[in-house]
Amino acid sequence: MLVVAYIGFGNSVCVYHLPYVADRDFIQVKYIYRREEDRVGDTERESWYPDITFTSDIDQVMKDPEVNLVVVNTPDAFHVSYTKMALENGKNVLCEKPFAMSADEAREVFAMAKEKGLLAMANQNRRFDADMRTLRKVLESGVLGDLVEVESHYDYFRPERDMQIKGFHMLYGLGVHPIDQMIGQFGIPKKVVYDCRSIANPGESDSYYDLDLFYDKFKAIVKTSYYVKLDYPRFIAHGTKGSFLMPPLGHNSDIKRKPGPVILEKAEYPEEKWGTLSYIDKDGKDVTMKVPLEQCDYGMIYDNIENVLVNGTDKVVKDEEVVAVLQIIEQGIQKAKEAK
C-alpha cells in the first residue's frame, strides 16, 4: 500500500494526481500539506476531500511512519528542498517537473536517495498523454520501418504573451515535457542542436525553441512557438515505410473547471482527433488508416512506483534521463541569453 502525502495543493495535485489515484486500491492519500499563508481565503476546496487530512504542520507529515511516499508539488524553486527533507525522513519521493533547477542538483538528490535506499523520481507524467501513448503504439508496431524523423509541436498563437514575457521560464515550465517525451521514448541523444530565443524580447526570454535531438539514424525535433495561428500536428513521424500524423488535442490550460473534485471520465475523442497512418505493408500494399487514441492515464506512474518498491522493477523515469533533460534545458537557456 502506498500511503501518500502531497506537498502543495495547486492545479497539478487536483487535476493530474488526485483523480488518477482515486480508483487505484493500492493508494491511500493521507495528507495534503499547505503553508498556512496559502490557506488564507482558500479553505473551501479542502472540504471537497473529506477523507484527506489537510495540515500546515510539515512535521506531522514527515514524522508519520505510515507515509511512505511524499509527492512534491510546490513551485519549482522548492522542489529540491522538500525532496531532500522527505528523503532525510525516510520517505520515497515523486517530484513534479522540473525535478531540480540544474543537472548538478538532480545528481545530488539521486545520490542521496541511493545512499538511503529510497526512491526519488521525477513526475514526467506527460509520457502518458493520450497523444504520446498513441504515437508510442504506432512507433512500436514497426509499420513505419526504420525511423527517419519525429517532430513534436506544442504551439500557441499568443504574440502578446511573448511581448510580455521576460525571464527564462518556458523551457523549465513547458519544454521539459516534450524533451522528456523524446528522451523517454528514444534515450539520450548523441547530439543536440539549439535554436532558443524570444521573437519579442531577444536575449531576455526563452519563449521560442526549436531543438534537434540527433540519434544514430534519425532525429527528434522539439518545438514550441507563440506564433502558430493555424493548428500544426502535435506529432509527425516519418520512417522508411510510412508516416504518421497526430493532430493537436488542445491545451489543458484552456479547460474550464467546475467547483468540486475533478471526476475522471474516459475521453471519447472524435475521429477528426485520431491519428492518420499511411505505410507500405509487407506485401507492398499501400495502407492508409485512422488510428484511435489511447487513453491518457497519469496514474500509470504510480503503478510503476508500486512495482519498483514491491517487485524491484526499474523506474519508468530513469535518473540519467532526468539529468539529460535538465542539461538540455540549461544549455537551451544559455543559447537564448546569447540570442540578442
Side-chain angles (χ1 to χ4, degrees), residues 163-174:
M163 287 184 273
Q164 294 165 1
I165 287 179
K166 289 189 180 180
F168 299 90
H169 314 293
M170 182 73 91
L171 280 163
Y172 275 117
L174 176 60

Side-chain angles (χ1 to χ4, degrees), residues 47-63:
S47 67
W48 301 345
Y49 303 95
D51 297 329
I52 299 174
T53 298
F54 286 81
T55 180
S56 295
D57 180 358
I58 193 65
D59 286 338
Q60 184 179 7
V61 172
M62 295 298 172
K63 302 303 181 185

Side-chain angles (χ1 to χ4, degrees), residues 193-197 208-212 332 335-336 339:
V193 175
Y194 299 83
D195 178 4
C196 302
R197 50 197 162 96
Y208 171 99
Y209 53 83
D210 184 349
L211 308 174
D212 286 356
K335 295 292 185 183

Side-chain angles (χ1 to χ4, degrees), residues 96-107:
E96 272 301 333
K97 59 77 191 170
F99 183 79
M101 298 309 291
S102 73
D104 285 344
E105 278 188 326
R107 290 189 191 97

Side-chain angles (χ1 to χ4, degrees), residues 250-264:
H251 297 291
N252 287 327
S253 58
D254 295 335
I255 299 173
K256 303 300 181 185
R257 309 287 179 190
K258 297 178 180 179
V262 174
I263 305 300
L264 196 61

Side-chain angles (χ1 to χ4, degrees), residues 10-28:
N11 188 64
S12 174
V13 171
C14 297
V15 178
Y16 305 123
H17 287 269
L18 293 177
Y20 291 92
V21 304
D23 293 331
R24 285 173 158 83
D25 58 10
F26 61 89
I27 298 175
Q28 175 199 349

